[in-house]
Amino acid sequence: MAGRGRGRLPLSLRRNAVAWERQRPTWRDAKPALIAGALKRAQARPSGNWYVVGASRDVGGDRPLGRTVAGREVVVWRDTGGRVVAGPGVCPHLGAPLRDSPVRCGTLVCHWHGLSLNGGPFAGWKPFPAYDDGVLVWVRLDAVGGEEPLDAPVVPRRPVPARALTAVYAGAGVCEPEDVVANRLDPWHGAWFHPYSFVDLTVADTPESAGGDSFAVDVSFKVAGRLVVPVRAVFTAPEPRTVVMHITEGEGVGSVVETHATPLGPDASGRPRTAVIEAVVAASDRRGFALARAAAPLLRPLVRAASGRLWRDDLAYAERRWELRSTGRFPGA
Ligand code: FES
Ligand SMILES: [Fe+2]
């Protein structure tokens, strides 16, 4: 696969495959202080109080999208013009859960007594700013974020939609957004913790070595058996609750995997719950790539990399981190 093949020959046959237990340990490089530093810088960046609430394609139709963000019920729907509108999910009359109310011609109609909301302030109900970036929908909650509000969220750079295949996954775990972000700012766990997806992982640049604030990782996505897709992936945290992976070399250059962490609020035992909303925007510069060929087998590993088992394992990592932090037992503190 060396040199020449990269970018031209997407698939490669893994030679000299190293057994899982014989691969180089990464723990010496994965310095807790380095990860903590990257996390701290991410947390210091402005979010403008914007929170990802779901996929754009999930907003529309005859039901609003209902989400709880930091304990606040939020509903999101589309008005007659197709624009996303958002606001509190509690009916201002007697408190019906508006997430269960229908949308009729761009108007949310409370199913208890018929109060109608068209997205504008009404009867004590005040909308929240909402933003549809074409892949994800964001809501601005100034009372939750407490930062200086921004007019629009910090949306990562993405491939042009016409040449991309988009998939959005959502899950939730018992942890805080920072635990999700910290998991993504530890690229060293990839081939150890997810050997079914990643092999031959080398962290080429860190914020320490490169001076920038990103992690560059050379890694191979496993396709089947010894067949792999080698890529270079660069991880950055453009805002406090987002980590973005850009594929900068290899198959799918320009593809992006965005991980967004949205605090949901406490569960019944008072433990914090966080939603992980992940958008995969896969691109290919292969001739003839079109939406019709969205299932291009070479992109599948990338898309799959954001789903299933990988997902559950990363949430388990985040939950474990929170559990240890919240009981003063986290060794990387
Ligand atoms: S509770 Fe919504 S209209 Fe009465
Ligand atoms: Fe992971």
Side-chain angles (χ1 to χ4, degrees), residues 244-272:
V244 188
M245 180 187 88
H246 285 277
I247 303 290
T248 59
E249 282 176 50
E251 176 63 14
V253 165
S255 297
V256 165
V257 178
E258 298 173 19
T259 306
H260 300 274
T262 299
L264 298 176
D267 68 8
S269 342
R271 302 174 309 170

Side-chain angles (χ1 to χ4, degrees), residues 181-269:
V181 172
N183 164 267
R184 289 300 196 272
L185 295 177
D186 163 15
W188 294 273
H189 75 262
W192 280 102
F193 195 37
H194 312 295
Y196 44 84
S197 277
F198 304 124
V199 286
D200 305 331
L201 185 149
T202 313
V203 179
D205 285 324
T206 67
E208 244 176 23
S209 70
D213 208 354
S214 62
F215 295 87
V217 178
D218 291 319
V219 65
S220 289
F221 290 110
K222 267 173 118 165
V223 179
R226 289 166 58 215
L227 225 46
V228 293
V229 179
V231 298
R232 172 165 281 202
V234 175
F235 292 80
T236 51
E239 60 106 273
R241 290 175 291 275
T242 300
V243 178
V244 188
M245 180 187 88
H246 285 277
I247 303 290
T248 59
E249 282 176 50
E251 176 63 14
V253 165
S255 297
V256 165
V257 178
E258 298 173 19
T259 306
H260 300 274
T262 299
L264 298 176
D267 68 8
S269 342

Side-chain angles (χ1 to χ4, degrees), residues 302-315:
L302 174 63
V303 175
R304 208 190 301 125
S307 65
R309 191 170 168 193
L310 193 57
W311 240 99
R312 288 198 297 278
D313 285 345
D314 279 332
L315 258 186

Side-chain angles (χ1 to χ4, degrees), residues 38-60:
L39 173 64
K40 212 169 162 192
R41 289 190 298 279
Q43 289 175 317
R45 292 188 184 115
S47 77
N49 305 325
W50 288 95
Y51 296 84
V52 170
V53 289
S56 300
R57 70 166 71 99
D58 290 343
V59 182

